Each structure stands twice: as structure tokens, then as C-alpha cells.
Amino acid sequence: MLEEYYQTDHCTGVSLQISRNNDLRVTACAVSRKKNQLEIHKKVTGLYSIKQLPEFLPAKSIVSLNLNGKGVLHKRTEKFEKLTPEIFRGLLPNSEPADFYMQHFTSGAYAYISMIRKSDADKWLAEFKSIGMEIIMLSLGPFPVYSIMKQLNVYGGDFLFDGHEIVRDEADDWTGYSYREDSRSPYPLKADLEALDESLLVPYAAAFQVVLENRLLPVKAQVSVVDAALVQLTEKNKWKLYGLILLGFFFIVLSLNAWVFSKLFRENNELEATTLSSQQNTADLNDMEGQIKKKEVLLKQFGWDQDLNKALMIDRLASVLPSDVTLDEVSVNPVDPVESRKLKRLQFRDRNIQVIGTSSGILSVNEWVARLKVMSWVKNCTVQSFTIDPEKQTGQFTLTIQF
């Protein structure tokens, strides 16, 4: 979703046309993107040295470089998926792919392989670095122009501009290419509505590929150091965007906090005025609440269990009593002797029922315990003790029920 904003929105395309006697012709075109609109900021023609560029372009310009002429070789072949060493040696026998930077462009049934020796290209890259300009894309020949053909006022047939002769078929696919220095367009060229010197088509297309890199497949040479510079620039833009988003988020949070603080401050003043007017009533209410809490504590100490019907609970205990079990004593919330001695005041076991009784055997008591545990209000039921009286041949038990 945010990937579009990672891309650089400005770039300068620079074209170097190298003649056979090593004369240099330099043209440049600076392009920027704002939303879906492209704007050409600078058009530079008629230069004969890279060192002249700082006079026309800002320092540390981001450059998409295009090389053509001496040292740049173009080969047309049948269309293929991937350039392999075998295909390369078929195009350029007795050469090693590792010695060249290569560009693969496909149109229709044909593929165009452009190549330049790494030593030659590195010389130009180093010269741009010496004047403080960063190369983020390298292309060879006129092939980047393919990406801007729909913008140009060229309709069918062969396409001539600035020495480049491109043969096209009825589907506008490129079927042939050659370079003849005196070849010129028979009519003025326009990119959309803007008139454009034909010598600026290649640098414009080179810059166009960078600012719209995420929307098209750039025609470029594979140069690791240059490609890494483009990736680094994209990452830099990404973190810059994240920083702006984070800054905006904190600004919104701070604005919201300020609004909430202002609202709460105003409400607090209103509440404070109301509180002051009823301060005496509040003091009385607090005093009453304190007394209620003291009485609640006192009631709790005496074993008050709110509105529980203890008589009904005892009746339900007795209703499931086995026939040979006799109850001698039932205590609800009995006194806890251990806690009472410790605190030196009466302490009761809240929500407990203590039963003391007799039975002919432990089995009957266990049966009663099992019946009690299935009652919904009984949380736990345990036999605290069971002792046999040898004279009476009966057992005395103590049972605790928690509710």
C-alpha cells in the first residue's frame, strides 16, 4: 500500500553519446513526480564533458545514466527467457560474460542484448562519483525509450530520432535497430503536451524509468553497485516515510491529549464547584458510611451471613440423613477456638456448618457426605473426626460443611 511512496519522486536522466574518436555529447533531463503527474524541471543539451554538469544540475543529484556509442554493443536475437553463458558466447564468441555489464530488452519476437565492458562503464561511473552525483540506474542504447512510446506523438512505422533508427511492425514492436549519426525525426517530438528536443528523449526515458520504477519493468543493465544504490535509496525513503507517519501519529495523539485535558480540566472545575457547595453533606455521608462499615464488621464478627435461610439449610441436611445416623449438635458459623485465642476475641468460621452426631459405622457417615455434596449450595463437606465408643458400640463423628 505504501510502496508507491518509497520510490524516489525525482531523478535526472543523463545520456552520454560517445563517438568513434572519443568525443562526448552530454544531454540531461530532470524529471519529478507528484502523485500521477510528471514534470520536466531541467533540459540540458550541447555539453561535451561530464564536468560541465554541476553548472546546470544541483549538487548530489540522483542520476539515471544512459550510455551509447563507442564501447556499447547491441545484438538482436530470437526471443529467449534468460540470458545464459551459452547464448552470450553465441552472440560474442571468445568473450566471457563476467567481463561485461549486460542489458536484456525484449519486444515482440526479438530480444536485444546490449553490453559494455565493465572497465569502460566503471570509468564513467567513477567520473560521476567525482562530481558528487549518485548513479542509481544504468541503461544502454535507446531501449529505455520503449517505456515512454505511448507519451510520444509517434504513430506506426519506423521511428527516427537523434541518430537512432528503430524499425517497428504493425503491433508497434521493435523489429530492428541501427544508429546513423545524421538520422533525425521528420517532425518535432512531444512527450504528452510538452515539446521535447529529440536528443532529450533518451535521458527523459532514463529518468522516467526511475520515478515510475514500481509501475513498469525498467530496461537497465545489471550492475550490482548501481542496483544496490537504488535499493539503499528506496530503503532510505521508506524509513523517512515511516518517520513522518510516526511523527504524524504522535502529533495526533498529542492533539487528542490536549483536547481531552482541556475538556477534563473544564469538567473538573465544574465538579469542584459542585463539590464545594455540597461539602458539608459529603462529610456527613462519609461519617455515615464509616458507621455502616463498622457495623458491617461487627455483624461479620458475630457470623451474619446476609439473608441466607440457615433453618432451611439445616432442614435439607436432615432430609438426606441415613436412618442409622443421629445428630447430636448442629452449629452454624461455629466459634473458631484457634483464631479466637490468637486474636483474643471471638472469631467465627464464616459460612460453615459443624455437625456432631453418632452412627453405627463410618459407611453411613460417608453415604451422608456423598448425598450432601450433590446439593448445589454445598461447596465442600468433610469428616473431621470419627471415633468408636467401645461400650456403646457406636461411633461419634464431627462433620464440617462449607456453603
Side-chain angles (χ1 to χ4, degrees):
M1 181 178 177
L2 297 176
E3 291 177 356
E4 179 179 351
Y5 302 99
Y6 301 162
Q7 310 302 317
T8 181
D9 56 4
H10 62 280
C11 183
T12 300
V14 177
S15 172
L16 304 185
Q17 183 67 41
I18 309 152
S19 69
R20 292 182 179 178
N21 57 0
N22 289 323
D23 290 336
L24 195 63
R25 180 162 60 90
V26 182
T27 54
C29 185
V31 175
S32 68
R33 171 176 57 89
K34 188 174 183 181
K35 295 183 178 179
N36 292 323
Q37 298 294 323
L38 287 180
E39 184 177 348
I40 297 175
H41 291 283
K42 198 80 174 178
K43 301 175 183 177
V44 180
T45 59
L47 303 186
Y48 300 98
S49 170
I50 294 175
K51 297 188 182 300
Q52 293 177 276
L53 284 173
E55 301 175 20
F56 301 91
L57 301 176
K60 298 183 179 180
S61 292
I62 296 171
V63 173
S64 177
L65 178 61
N66 180 273
L67 301 176
N68 197 49
K70 184 178 180 180
V72 181
L73 183 63
H74 306 292
K75 292 284 187 177
R76 189 191 77 167
T77 183
E78 297 296 323
K79 181 179 178 180
F80 55 85
E81 292 297 325
K82 183 178 180 181
L83 181 61
T84 63
E86 291 73 19
I87 294 176
F88 173 83
R89 292 189 181 93
L91 298 173
L92 206 64
N94 302 320
S95 297
E96 288 298 325
D99 296 334
F100 293 85
Y101 293 134
M102 287 175 283
Q103 171 183 287
H104 179 196
F105 166 69
T106 299
S107 180
Y110 297 101
Y112 296 85
I113 306 302
S114 303
M115 57 196 82
I116 183 173
R117 286 193 175 275
K118 290 183 178 180
S119 56
D120 293 338
D122 289 343
K123 177 188 69 174
W124 298 116
L125 296 177
E127 192 163 349
F128 272 91
K129 186 175 182 180
S130 70
I131 61 173
M133 294 186 180
E134 184 177 14
I135 306 297
I136 62 170
M137 189 174 288
L138 176 67
S139 56
L140 306 173
F143 303 102
V145 173
Y146 183 81
S147 62
I148 64 167
M149 289 299 296
K150 292 182 180 180
Q151 299 180 42
L152 304 178
N153 55 329
V154 178
Y155 310 99
D158 298 346
F159 179 31
L160 309 178
F161 70 97
D162 195 36
H164 302 288
E165 297 183 349
I166 298 168
V167 181
R168 304 193 302 167
D169 60 17
E170 294 179 355
D172 293 335
D173 291 324
W174 293 17
T175 59
Y177 166 72
S178 60
Y179 181 80
R180 192 157 51 90
E181 191 172 353
D182 57 350
S183 292
R184 292 293 179 271
S185 174
Y187 48 83
L189 294 175
K190 290 184 179 181
D192 289 330
L193 298 178
E194 180 153 359
L196 201 62
D197 187 293
E198 59 189 271
S199 66
L200 293 174
L201 279 188
V202 171
Y204 171 70
F208 179 88
Q209 290 192 132
V210 171
V211 296
L212 292 178
E213 190 246 352
N214 63 318
R215 300 187 184 181
L216 50 82
L217 185 63
V219 180
K220 64 176 183 177
Q222 301 300 316
V223 185
S224 58
V225 64
V226 173
D227 294 340
L230 179 58
V231 171
Q232 185 177 3
L233 179 62
T234 302
E235 288 296 314
K236 181 180 177 181
N237 291 339
K238 179 191 297 186
W239 289 112
K240 187 183 295 184
L241 177 63
Y242 286 167
L244 290 174
I245 291 174
L246 193 60
L247 187 63
F249 171 75
F250 283 123
F251 176 77
I252 292 171
V253 170
L254 289 174
S255 300
L256 183 61
N257 282 346
W259 177 80
V260 171
F261 177 79
S262 176
K263 181 175 182 296
L264 291 178
F265 183 76
R266 184 174 62 254
E267 292 177 353
N268 183 67
N269 287 339
E270 294 173 357
L271 289 173
E272 186 176 0
T274 303
T275 302
L276 289 174
S277 66
S278 60
Q279 192 171 27
Q280 186 59 47
N281 292 336
T282 303
D284 295 341
L285 181 60
N286 289 338
D287 183 57
M288 187 180 296
E289 287 179 349
Q291 293 180 24
I292 291 171
K293 287 180 180 178
K294 289 179 181 178
K295 290 177 181 179
E296 286 179 349
V297 172
L298 188 58
L299 286 171
K300 187 175 181 181
Q301 290 175 350
F302 283 107
W304 177 61
D305 286 318
Q306 298 177 349
D307 60 348
L308 292 176
N309 191 332
K310 300 181 181 65
L312 180 61
M313 287 191 291
I314 294 172
D315 184 62
R316 289 179 177 174
L317 295 179
S319 68
V320 294
L321 188 68
S323 59
D324 59 341
V325 176
T326 304
L327 302 184
D328 297 330
E329 180 183 329
V330 178
S331 302
V332 180
N333 294 343
V335 174
D336 188 334
V338 176
E339 289 296 318
S340 296
R341 283 196 299 272
K342 186 186 297 183
L343 300 175
K344 296 183 180 180
R345 65 170 183 267
L346 285 178
Q347 285 295 113
F348 299 91
R349 293 178 184 167
D350 292 340
R351 307 183 80 84
N352 273 251
I353 298 175
Q354 180 176 284
V355 179
I356 298 175
T358 58
S359 174
S360 60
I362 189 64
L363 292 178
S364 298
V365 177
N366 288 339
E367 180 184 350
W368 188 36
V369 169
R371 294 176 183 178
L372 293 177
K373 285 185 176 180
V374 299
M375 293 184 176
S376 59
W377 57 273
V378 174
K379 293 184 178 178
N380 194 16
C381 181
T382 56
V383 178
Q384 300 296 321
S385 65
F386 186 88
T387 57
I388 300 294
D389 186 344
E391 295 180 1
K392 298 181 180 180
Q393 293 298 313
T394 58
Q396 186 174 42
F397 65 87
T398 301
L399 190 69
T400 299
I401 302 166
Q402 296 176 348
F403 60 89

